[in-house]
Amino acid sequence: YRMLAAPVADDGLRRDGGGGGDPALAAARSAAARTTGGCTLAVEEHQLTVDRYRALDAAVPTLQLIALACAVEEQRVVKDEEEIAALRVAAQVTDQALGELLESILVGRTERHLALELERRLIDHGAEGPAFPTSVATGSHAGIPHHQPSDRRVEEGDFLSVCLGARYRGYRCQIGRTFVIGSAPQSWQIELYDLVFAAQRAGRETLAPGVGYRDVDHATRHVLDASGYAEGLGDCMGHGVGLEIREDPRLAPDAMGKLESRVPVTVEPGVHLPGRGGVRIDDTLVVRPQADGGPELLTITTKELLAL
């Protein structure tokens, strides 16, 4: 929980909240001890519950709260190279776990079993844990966005859609891939996959410093819109990652702002056909200028439509 106490006696910034207690109360008491009369705390109102506000008011009756808005999140948008290095390792671990699963026998195993195995493999390869609950969807379940694993078993002819990520040193990445179970995909599966792949590539190729958030969304969404899949698409085609799996910026039609260098984002279009199946392709990339080689792809598992 993040709070800034003001005024302070040294450099204007103090870190509070250690020792296992409530960091909000620690910050309030620290501010009160460092001031005479009333004290002021800048708080993230979107993180402050009513219960915690009442506790603050009871602990420091002279407390005055002022809004910090999303200043902390804004400071976290651009990562330094040490943070990107942690994301790079998280992506490597994720690719390794997914690659090993694809080499195993899949038919007859449940979605839940596959998700648990993926998360175990993440930890085996050095992750602190999964970045978010792993999604595994087979057959008609692949037609459900963000499907949570069930006891449905993998069958011949299924789409197998997975979305997972590792957490390493607190930093989280994301990858999503779709495969076909069996000797060869059907024609409709190939067509749908090629469409989503084209949309995802369009979004990836748009990433550059100075490009608007909404422009990345538009480049990705336009490919799907033009093929008649506008209805049912998600509200954004990607988002930032870092200490949380969903950070600013949002790559959405209504998003304001422009990309900067060293901003890690996902590009994750999908088309979901209820009762039939669907395709989702996600990557985590770091925005880089063309002089530095363009966007850095962190998740490198093949995007070829594999028949497993």
Side-chain angles (χ1 to χ4, degrees), residues 102-117:
L102 299 182
E103 295 175 356
S104 63
I105 296 174
L106 301 174
V107 174
R109 299 168 67 183
T110 68
E111 296 172 344
R112 200 185 314 277
H113 184 195
L114 295 179
L116 289 172
E117 181 171 339

Side-chain angles (χ1 to χ4, degrees), residues 202-213:
R204 286 187 286 113
E205 292 177 348
T206 305
L207 296 176
V211 172
Y213 302 154

Side-chain angles (χ1 to χ4, degrees), residues 205-290:
E205 292 177 348
T206 305
L207 296 176
V211 172
Y213 302 154
R214 62 175 61 181
D215 295 330
V216 181
D217 178 276
H218 175 76
T220 309
R221 190 181 302 268
H222 175 72
V223 176
L224 303 178
D225 285 352
S227 296
Y229 289 101
E231 185 177 352
L233 293 180
D235 60 351
C236 69
M237 292 291 114
H239 53 79
V241 295
L243 294 174
E244 299 176 64
I245 194 57
R246 280 185 171 268
E247 295 192 350
D248 289 335
R250 289 177 63 251
L251 307 181
D254 60 349
M256 304 297 293
K258 296 182 178 181
L259 292 170
E260 299 180 62
S261 184
R262 305 199 317 274
V263 174
V265 296
T266 67
V267 180
E268 50 178 276
V271 172
H272 303 276
L273 307 178
R276 194 176 186 191
V279 174
R280 178 174 171 177
I281 304 175
D282 304 3
D283 276 312
T284 299
L285 306 98
V286 179
V287 178
R288 305 278 193 186
Q290 286 301 321

